[in-house]
Every structure is written in C-alpha cells, then in structure tokens.
C-alpha cells in the first residue's frame, strides 16, 4: 500500500503542480496534446523514481527463504531498507529504476493526454 501511495502521490500531485508552475494554468484549463504528453511523461517518471526503494524492499521481503529455526535476513520493511543501504549502498535501492521509468512514463503521458482531450470534448 505504501508503494502505491507514493506512486500515486507523485503521479497525480506532480501533474497538476507542473501544469500550474510551468504553464501558468489551473487544473481545469485545457492545454495542448504535446504539453499534456510531456507533463504526463515527467509525472509518470516521478512515481517509479520515488517508490523504487520501497519496491526493492518489497521484493526482497517476498523473495527471501525463511528456514525454520533460523532468523530471517530481513525482519521487516524498515530493517530491510536500512540493511540494504548499509550493506549494499543506496544504488541498490535504485536498481531497476530506469527500466521502470521507460515502461511506465510513456504510458502515463498518453493517459494524461487522453484525459485532457476527453475533458475538452465533454466541456
């Protein structure tokens, strides 16, 4: 839930904020398709970028083998993140980020462009 919350926060929060800060228009003001595509791609990249460490932790926790009678390497999300950071460095928490951005960001650009266009058509 934390992972998706971070993703959605940066995705939807940043789109409207960039629309206002970069274009000087309010949320409901129509913008051109190329503007919404570009803002959507940037917004779509922010979610995976900021939630990637949480995703790495989730994957490590799910993939670890727990042997009866032995203490697991990772005992919780916070302990897992700290241990990865200390033992493997911050770069490890960001592994796979670029591939996720390459997969997600273009689709979000298309999604926001579609939403903007449909909103314009519906008035």
């Amino acid at each position: 839930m934390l992972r998706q919350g971070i993703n959605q926060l940066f995705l939807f929060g940043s789109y409207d904020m960039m629309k206002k800060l970069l274009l000087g228009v309010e949320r409901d003001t129509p913008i051109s398709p190329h503007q919404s595509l570009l803002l959507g791609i940037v917004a779509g990249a922010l979610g995976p970028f900021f939630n990637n460490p949480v995703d790495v932790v989730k994957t490590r926790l799910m993939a670890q083998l727990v042997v009866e009678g032995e203490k697991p390497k990772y005992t919780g999300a916070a302990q897992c993140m700290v241990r990865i950071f200390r033992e493997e460095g911050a770069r490890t928490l960001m592994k796979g980020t670029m591939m996720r951005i390459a997969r997600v960001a273009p689709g979000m650009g298309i999604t926001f462009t579609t939403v903007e266009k449909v909103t314009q058509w519906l008035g």
Side-chain angles (χ1 to χ4, degrees):
M1 195 177 325
L2 175 64
R3 180 179 158 272
Q4 276 308 103
I6 293 169
N7 186 57
Q8 300 306 309
L9 170 72
F10 281 99
L11 175 64
F12 293 108
S14 67
Y15 183 81
D16 287 340
M17 191 179 303
M18 287 188 295
K19 196 172 174 179
K20 185 170 188 160
L21 292 173
L22 299 176
L23 303 177
V25 298
E26 294 300 319
R27 179 182 196 178
D28 296 332
T29 305
I31 59 175
S32 70
H34 72 276
Q35 290 172 322
S36 59
L37 180 66
L38 183 60
L39 292 182
I41 288 171
V42 173
L46 291 175
F49 181 80
F50 284 104
N51 82 2
N52 203 77
V54 177
D55 200 41
V56 168
V57 167
K58 174 202 63 118
T59 301
R60 293 282 182 101
L61 286 169
M62 290 176 62
Q64 81 175 333
L65 295 174
V66 179
V67 178
E68 192 174 328
E70 292 181 22
K71 183 179 178 186
K73 182 175 183 176
Y74 306 117
T75 57
Q79 180 268 349
C80 180
M81 187 173 288
V82 169
R83 186 164 184 174
I84 292 170
F85 181 81
R86 284 184 181 157
E87 293 178 1
E88 301 174 52
R91 289 184 71 150
T92 300
L93 292 168
M94 298 308 289
K95 276 187 179 178
T97 303
M98 292 311 295
M99 292 308 296
R100 289 184 62 221
I101 289 172
R103 179 179 58 85
V104 173
M108 293 317 304
I110 293 167
T111 299
F112 278 110
T113 301
T114 302
V115 167
E116 289 280 353
K117 207 56 165 159
V118 169
T119 301
Q120 288 175 21
W121 288 337
L122 296 176

